[in-house]
Amino acid sequence: MTETRLSRRQALMAGAALPLAAATAGTARAAAPMLGAAMPQFHRFTLGGFEVTTLLVGTRTVEDPQTIFGMNASPEEFAEVSAANRIPIDKAQFFFTPTVVNTGSELVLFDTGLNPEGITGVLAAAGYAADQVDKVVITHMHGDHIGGLSGAAGETFGNAAYYTGQVEFDAWEMSGDETFEAKVRPLAEKMTFLDDGGAVASGVTAMAAFGHTPGHMAYMLESGGRQLVIAADFANHYVWSLGYPDWEVRFDRDKEAAAATRRRMLGMMAADGVPFIGYHMPFPGFGFVEARGEGFRYVPASYQMMLG
C-alpha cells in the first residue's frame, strides 16, 4: 500500500474547488429568458448623393394566400411553386414598408403606412421627426398607404407638401371611399398632381404603373449615376408576383393591366440592373430582378449598397 501525501498548496487548491463543484452539481445555471422574434425597424443605405431609408411600420400573417395571389393558377401549380421556394401554402407574411429619401436638401416620404402612430414611431427610430418631412408622396390610395396621413391629433406631417398621381386622385375622388374622404380629401389643396414623368424633386420622377389601382405610380430615384425604383404595389410578393407576373392578385383593380405593368416594369429593371424597393417585399424590402424562364426571380440585396 502506497502512502500519498499532499503539499499545503495542493490541499488549499483542492479545498477551494469543493464549493464550486458542489454548486455545479447541485444547481443549474439560470437560462436567459426567451425574448421573442424581432426585426429591425429601419434600414438605411446611400444611392449616389441620396440617403434611402426603408421603414417597417407593420407585419402580419395572412391565412390562405391563394385567395389573394395566383387566383387563376390551379391549387396544384400554386402548391408546387410554393414548395419549390420553401414557403407554405396555408399562410403568408405581409410587410408594410414606407420609404424616406433624404436628397440632401429635402426629406421625401413615400407612403405613410397604416396609422399615424406607426409611421411617426418608426421615423423617430430612424432619427427623423414628422415635422422634418418636406414632401409626402402617395403612390396610390389603398388604406395601408394613406393611413398615416392624419389621425385624432390632426395632420401628421404639418410642414409637408403632398404629391400624388392625377389619375389616381380623380378615380378615388368619385369612389365615395371613407378612408379617402377622411385622410386625402382634406389635404387636396396642398397637393401637387402628377402625370407620368412628373417630378417630385430633382432626381425623383413619377412612373405610370397602372393596374393595381387606376392611377398607381412608381417612382425612379436617380443620383450620382445610380438608380432605384420605389415600386410600391405593382408587385406584391417576391415569388408569386415576380416569378409568375400573369397570376391574378385579388387587390389589383384591373388584373390585365396590372399583369402588363408587372411584365413591363420587371423587364425594365432586369434588363437595366436597377434595384427596387417593394412595399410588401420581405423587410428590408429591396432587391434586384433577374429574368427567369417566362417570369422573373427576386434577388434580395446584400452588401451592394454599402460599397458606394
Side-chain angles (χ1 to χ4, degrees), residues 65-85 87-89 212 233-252 254-260 262-263 266 292 294-295:
Q66 203 184 356
T67 63
I68 301 172
F69 298 100
M71 296 174 65
N72 56 337
S74 69
E76 294 77 16
E77 184 183 14
F78 188 82
E80 181 180 352
V81 166
S82 301
N85 288 277
I87 51 178
I89 61 171
H212 180 65
D233 282 17
F234 75 72
N236 280 339
H237 193 276
Y238 76 105
V239 172
W240 300 321
S241 294
L242 270 73
Y244 302 86
D246 297 326
W247 279 9
E248 292 183 354
V249 180
R250 187 173 82 200
F251 299 122
D252 287 345
D254 184 331
K255 293 175 174 49
E256 184 176 348
R262 275 192 290 277
R263 286 203 169 275
L266 293 170
R292 184 183 66 175
E294 295 183 2

Side-chain angles (χ1 to χ4, degrees), residues 20-33:
L20 178 60
T24 302
T27 59
R29 180 173 296 177

